């Protein structure tokens, strides 16, 4: 299916968020996630099902003022 | 000591971590500032670059407390979701709440700010709202559950100092027991010293240090300024007068009478 990851369309074979993140290369990273604007805690990623067209945000620590 | 949500901090200078020439300069500037609290943010992470992972390692090595922000958020929903994400990544309930309402000045949307503060305080966040000097908004933020306020000095990155001295002084006088941290707009150490002299509890500086020709030296200069300003406040400054008052005693002046 196609999902929008940080504003870029990506293809994934995985049906749930945790698997998709692993497949896309985020394994082991300190990140926080949201699906369609809703925060998804890391503990819930394995049981968060994805659907074609879902919008995923993958955020990490960054410089800020 | 300054107590921020039951956490005691000694330094009255907080430092932002953005816009430094390099990570090494940022690290040196944090050390030179003697800041115990630095602000951080969340941004989209590229799986290839993993820039966020390197930054987070650097901050953890510095051993400072982090205050995550919701910079860039223009809506209550965005800010609340970002706060949830920050709490998970940074492992803190502290959140510097920004809801921006206007692009040219980056002025807070104080209506959205109060709404977001109400939601986050109810969820157990310890909210540091980036606000204006408006007294009514301040009242609303405190009623929402905020225990600290962060009024702006001037628009973010402008370096203009304490833009509305009267309004800020009134805010300080109106809330004598609320920790007030001047956030944004300070340009030089004398602005920071002035803020502390007026009774503000701390200042948050980013651009003025990060974009200085020598950020590390400027960080040290701000550290000295807040120490001087706090000491002056504690020492009790004199009231300004309109007319001269001789400092040398007049009794026994020669050639008189």
């Amino acid at each position: 299916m196609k999902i929008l990851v940080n504003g870029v369309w990506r293809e994934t074979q995985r049906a749930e968020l945790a698997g998709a993140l692993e497949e896309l290369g985020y394994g082991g990273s300190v990140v926080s996630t949201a699906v369609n604007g809703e925060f998804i805690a890391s503990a819930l990623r394995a049981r968060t099902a994805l659907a074609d067209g879902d919008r995923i945000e993958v955020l990490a620590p960054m410089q800020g003022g | 000591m300054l107590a921020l949500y039951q956490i005691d901090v000694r330094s009255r200078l907080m430092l932002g971590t953005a816009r430094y020439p390099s990570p090494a300069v940022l690290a040196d500037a944090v050390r030179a500032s003697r800041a115990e609290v630095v602000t951080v943010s969340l941004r989209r992470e590229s799986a290839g670059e993993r820039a966020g992972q390197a930054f987070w390692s650097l901050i953890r090595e510095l051993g400072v407390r982090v205050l995550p922000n919701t910079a860039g958020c223009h809506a209550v929903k965005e800010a609340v979701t970002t706060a949830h994400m920050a709490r998970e990544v940074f492992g803190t309930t502290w959140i510097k709440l920004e809801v921006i309402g206007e692009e040219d000045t980056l002025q807070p949307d104080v209506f959205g700010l109060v709404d977001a503060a109400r939601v986050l305080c109810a969820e157990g966040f310890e909210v540091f709202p980036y606000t204006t000097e408006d007294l009514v908004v301040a009242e609303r933020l405190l009623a929402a559950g905020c225990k600290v306020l962060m009024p702006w000095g001037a628009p973010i990155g402008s370096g203009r100092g304490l833009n509305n001295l009267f309004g800020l002084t009134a805010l300080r006088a109106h809330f004598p027991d609320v920790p007030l941290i001047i956030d944004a707009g300070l340009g030089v150490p004398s602005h920071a010293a002035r803020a502390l002299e007026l009774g503000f509890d701390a200042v948050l500086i980013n651009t003025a240090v990060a974009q200085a020709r020598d950020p590390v030296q400027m960080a040290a200069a701000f550290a000295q300024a807040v120490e001087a300003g706090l000491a002056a406040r504690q020492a009790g400054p004199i009231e300004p007068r309109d007319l001269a008052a001789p400092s040398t005693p007049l009794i026994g002046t020669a050639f008189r009478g």
Side-chain angles (χ1 to χ4, degrees), chain B residues 1-11 36 65 94:
Chain B
M1 284 286 194
L2 170 63
L4 301 172
Y5 289 102
Q6 288 84 52
I7 299 294
D8 288 333
V9 295
R10 191 179 305 276
S11 172
E36 296 164 59
R65 183 175 291 276
W94 280 16

Side-chain angles (χ1 to χ4, degrees), chain A residues 6-7 24-34 37-42 45 57-65, chain B residues 16-18 39-47 50 52-53 55-56 69 77 81 84-85 88-90 96 98 204 206:
Chain A
N6 288 345
L24 294 168
Y26 289 105
S29 296
V30 177
V31 294
S32 193
T33 52
E38 298 294 335
F39 168 59
I40 304 293
S42 58
R45 289 177 198 156
E57 293 289 335
V58 184
L59 306 188
M62 197 58 65
Q63 296 86 345
Chain B
T17 57
T39 52
V40 293
S41 194
L42 282 176
R43 284 293 180 272
R44 287 173 165 174
E45 177 81 325
S46 158
R50 292 182 174 237
Q53 312 306 305
F55 171 70
W56 188 219
N69 69 27
K77 169 78 172 156
T81 301
H84 288 152
M85 299 174 86
E88 181 179 65
V89 164
F90 295 110
K96 184 188 156 201
E98 297 184 29
L204 169 59
N206 193 156

Side-chain angles (χ1 to χ4, degrees), chain B residues 89-164:
Chain B
V89 164
F90 295 110
T92 176
T93 51
W94 280 16
I95 191 75
K96 184 188 156 201
L97 181 61
E98 297 184 29
V99 182
I100 299 301
E102 204 280 319
E103 276 305 314
D104 288 336
T105 59
L106 298 178
Q107 181 165 342
D109 168 359
V110 294
F111 306 99
L113 183 70
V114 171
D115 287 345
R118 198 175 289 124
V119 171
L120 292 171
C121 289
E123 292 180 357
F125 281 88
E126 294 171 312
V127 178
F128 295 65
Y130 166 60
T131 185
T132 67
E133 64 275 23
D134 189 295
L135 292 178
V136 179
V137 174
E139 289 275 14
R140 297 286 194 276
L141 289 167
L142 296 172
C146 298
K147 307 285 190 217
V148 177
L149 300 177
M150 299 188 81
W152 66 349
I156 295 170
S158 68
R160 301 190 69 84
L162 302 173
N163 217 13
N164 179 359

Side-chain angles (χ1 to χ4, degrees), chain A residues 10-65:
Chain A
R10 305 289 299 268
E11 189 76 40
T12 182
Q13 308 302 315
R14 305 294 296 268
E16 82 300 331
L17 180 59
L21 290 174
E22 190 75 31
E23 187 185 45
L24 294 168
Y26 289 105
S29 296
V30 177
V31 294
S32 193
T33 52
V35 176
N36 299 327
E38 298 294 335
F39 168 59
I40 304 293
S42 58
L44 299 178
R45 289 177 198 156
R47 44 196 162 103
T48 297
L50 296 179
D52 201 45
D54 273 350
R55 292 173 290 110
I56 319 294
E57 293 289 335
V58 184
L59 306 188
M62 197 58 65
Q63 296 86 345

Side-chain angles (χ1 to χ4, degrees), chain A residues 64-65, chain B residues 14-21 39 106 155-160 183-188 204-215 218-219 222:
Chain B
M14 299 180 178
L15 203 61
T17 57
R19 307 186 69 191
Y20 289 81
T39 52
L106 298 178
I156 295 170
S158 68
R160 301 190 69 84
D183 175 15
L186 304 190
V188 287
L204 169 59
I205 310 289
N206 193 156
T207 306
V209 168
Q211 297 285 293
R213 185 167 48 78
D214 183 342
M218 189 61 85
F222 269 101

